[in-house]
Amino acid sequence: MMTTHRPSIIPLRSLLALIAAAFLLSACEGESTESLPNTSASASSVNYTGPAPENDDVQAFKLAVWDNLATQDKCGACHNAGGQSPTFVNEQDINIAYAQARTVVNLDAPSQSEMVSKVAGGHNCWTSSTAACVDILTTYLTNWAGGAAGSVKTVELRAPTEKDPGATLTFPASSGEFESTVYPVLTTYCSDCHTENGQTPYIASSNGATAYEQAQSRINLETPSASRLVQRLRTDFHNCWDDDCDLSADTMQMAIEDFAGLQSPQTVDSDLVVSKALNLAEDGLLANSGGRYENNIIALYEFKAGEGQTAFDTSGVSPALDLTLSGNTEWVGGWGIALGGAYQNEQNFMVPAGKAQAPLQIARNYIPS
Ligand code: HEC
Ligand code: HEC
C-alpha cells in the first residue's frame, strides 16, 4: 500500500478578482511577496497619425480592438497596411482597418467571429495559451459591439451541430463477463476493505453479482481510462499495489478494456422515435458563464489554460496581470486551479505552498498614486 501526502486543497473556480494592490494568492498565511521577472512580451503601443475615424463606430473599433491588436507582438506584424489581407490593423488609415475588420467579425455573437475562430485554430496566438487569446479577442470584440460600460456577461446560445444518436456500449445483465475480467483484480487488491461489513462500495464482495452491481457506476465502458476504478489508482493514489500507482491503474484499465471488448455496441431500437443526440462536452454551455457584472474590472481570471505555469488575465485591460503559478498548484477540471499547502514529495523535496502571483512591476500600474 502506498501512502502519499495529499495536501488540503482550496479550489478557486472561475475566480473573478478585483485587484487594488500587489496581487498575491497564497495557501498559507504569512507567505512573502516576491518580485517575479516581467515575462510579458513588449506590448509597445502604436501611435496612430492617420485620418480621423469617420464615425463613432470606427472610433469604438479603434479603442476596443485596433489599439490592442495593432502592436507588433499581436496581429500588427502581418495584417498591417500593405500586409496580409484582411488588413484590420492598418496603421495608416483606421477607416480601412475598420472596413477590413468588418469582414471577419460577427458583432452579434463575438465569440463566433472568424477573427476568433482563426486564432482558436492555432493562428498566431500571442500567449502560450490559445484559450486565453480566444477569450481576450472575444472581450475586445464584445467591447466594440456593446461598449464596455455596465456590461453583464451574457450566455451566448447557439444551435449545436445536428447528429444522430449512435451505438453505445451497455452493461450486460449477467455478471459473468465482469466476473471473468474485472472482478479478479478487485478481489485480489481491494477485498481487504471493500466487502460487506467493510467499506462501501462493495466492489470486491465475495458475491460476484453484488460486486458487479456496485462496480457498474464506477466503470466507463466507452472510455475505460475514465473509469472511477482506474482514476482512484492513477490520480488519487488510493491503495495501489506494489507501490506503483501507474502500473496498478494500467492493470485495472486493461481488465476493464477486456470487459468492454466483450460487449457489442447497441444501436437504438428502430421502433423508437428518437430525437437528435447531444453530448455534454461539445454541445454543453457553461451554466455559470452569464449574469456576471464585468464593468470596471481590471483583471479577470477564468483559468481556462488547463496547463502550464500561467493563469492568464483575460480582461483585455492592459497591461495584463497574468498570474505565475508556483509551488503546490494544480489545474483542475472545469476551469480552476487548486492551491495546496507546503508538503514533502516522494523524492524528499519540500514543495512550497501554492501561489498565483502577478509580477510586482505590472501590479504597480494598478496601485492608485
Ligand atoms: C506572422 C504573420 C501573421 C500574424 C502575426 C497574424 N496573421 Fe492572420 N494571417 C496571416 C496569413 C499569412 C494569413 C493568410 C493565410 C491563412 O489564412 O492562414 C492570415 C489570415 C488570417 C485570417 C483569415 C482571413 C480570411 O479572410 O480568411 C484571419 C481572420 C486572421 N489571419 C486573423 C489574425 C489575428 C486576429 C491575428 C492576431 C492575433 C493574426 N491574424 C496574426 C499571417 C499572420
Ligand atoms: C485499506 C482499505 C482500502 C483498500 C485496500 C481499498 N480501499 Fe477504496 N476506499 C477505502 C475507504 C476508507 C474509502 C472511503 C473514503 C475515501 O473515499 O477515500 C474508499 C472508497 C473507495 C471508492 C469510492 C469513493 C470514490 O471516490 O469513488 C472507490 C471507487 C474505491 N475506494 C476503490 C478502491 C479500489 C479499486 C481498490 C482496490 C485497488 C480499493 N478501493 C482498495 C479503503 C480502501
Side-chain angles (χ1 to χ4, degrees):
M1 175 168 123
M2 174 156 168
T3 49
T4 305
H5 180 95
R6 297 293 293 167
S8 62
I9 276 174
I10 307 165
L12 294 172
R13 277 169 203 277
S14 292
L15 172 77
L16 171 66
L18 304 170
I19 295 134
F23 195 90
L24 173 68
L25 282 174
S26 171
C28 287
E29 278 183 30
E31 281 295 314
S32 63
T33 315
E34 69 208 44
S35 321
L36 295 167
N38 179 355
T39 51
S40 66
S42 68
S44 53
S45 60
V46 177
N47 197 10
Y48 180 71
T49 55
E54 270 163 9
N55 59 45
D56 288 351
D57 198 33
V58 180
Q59 174 67 9
F61 161 74
K62 180 175 183 303
L63 289 178
V65 181
W66 189 95
D67 282 353
N68 288 309
L69 295 183
T71 54
Q72 286 296 309
D73 63 318
K74 300 219 182 86
C75 322
C78 301
H79 295 280
N80 52 5
Q84 176 63 45
S85 163
T87 56
F88 56 88
V89 284
N90 186 316
E91 72 285 15
Q92 291 167 8
D93 191 335
I94 189 69
N95 300 301
I96 294 177
Y98 170 83
Q100 292 276 301
R102 297 288 311 215
T103 66
V104 283
V105 298
N106 175 351
L107 294 182
D108 292 328
S111 70
Q112 304 302 296
S113 298
E114 194 187 338
M115 207 189 259
V116 176
S117 55
K118 183 80 182 169
V119 172
H123 182 76
N124 293 293
C125 171
W126 64 94
T127 74
S128 61
S129 158
T130 300
C133 283
V134 164
D135 283 347
I136 296 169
L137 268 178
T138 305
T139 303
Y140 293 158
L141 297 180
T142 307
N143 290 347
W144 172 22
S151 59
V152 177
K153 195 174 180 103
T154 49
V155 178
E156 274 180 24
L157 297 176
R158 55 180 179 272
T161 35
E162 294 215 339
K163 42 185 180 288
D164 292 313
T168 47
L169 293 177
T170 47
F171 286 99
S174 135
S175 63
E177 287 162 345
F178 166 80
E179 286 185 48
S180 65
T181 51
V182 185
Y183 188 53
V185 182
L186 296 174
T187 47
T188 309
Y189 299 109
C190 317
S191 58
D192 279 354
C193 304
H194 291 287
T195 51
E196 282 89 342
N197 308 323
Q199 176 65 46
T200 56
Y202 303 138
I203 49 178
S205 165
S206 54
N207 180 325
T210 304
Y212 180 47
E213 193 251 314
Q214 298 267 306
Q216 277 182 32
S217 63
R218 296 166 175 98
I219 292 177
N220 185 329
L221 290 175
E222 302 281 349
T223 318
S225 62
S227 300
R228 187 74 194 130
L229 294 182
V230 175
Q231 290 177 335
R232 277 251 88 180
L233 298 163
R234 184 163 290 138
T235 54
D236 293 356
F237 314 124
H238 176 79
N239 296 289
C240 313
W241 53 95
D242 298 339
D243 262 356
D244 191 336
C245 287
D246 281 334
L247 207 67
S248 305
D250 288 346
T251 307
M252 184 71 76
Q253 184 176 328
M254 278 186 305
I256 293 175
E257 281 164 1
D258 288 346
F259 179 38
L262 297 172
Q263 315 311 318
S264 43
Q266 304 286 311
T267 48
V268 182
D269 185 340
S270 56
D271 288 343
L272 296 175
V273 179
V274 293
S275 66
K276 294 287 174 188
L278 286 175
N279 105 31
L280 205 55
E282 290 156 30
D283 304 321
L285 289 172
L286 268 202
N288 68 353
S289 64
R292 192 166 62 194
Y293 281 89
E294 295 192 348
N295 42 332
N296 300 327
I297 57 171
I298 59 171
L300 171 67
Y301 304 103
E302 298 190 273
F303 302 104
K304 289 187 189 170
E307 58 178 15
Q309 295 299 295
T310 310
F312 290 95
D313 168 10
T314 54
S315 65
V317 179
S318 269
L321 263 180
D322 295 338
L323 303 178
T324 299
L325 310 183
S326 61
N328 182 7
T329 53
E330 190 183 355
W331 292 94
V332 297
W335 303 351
I337 56 170
L339 301 179
Y343 72 101
Q344 194 162 25
N345 72 7
E346 286 118 68
Q347 289 82 40
N348 284 331
F349 287 120
M350 276 311 289
V351 177
K355 267 195 207 180
Q357 187 184 354
L360 212 50
Q361 301 93 305
I362 297 185
R364 280 210 180 94
N365 289 286
Y366 296 99
I367 302 172
S369 52

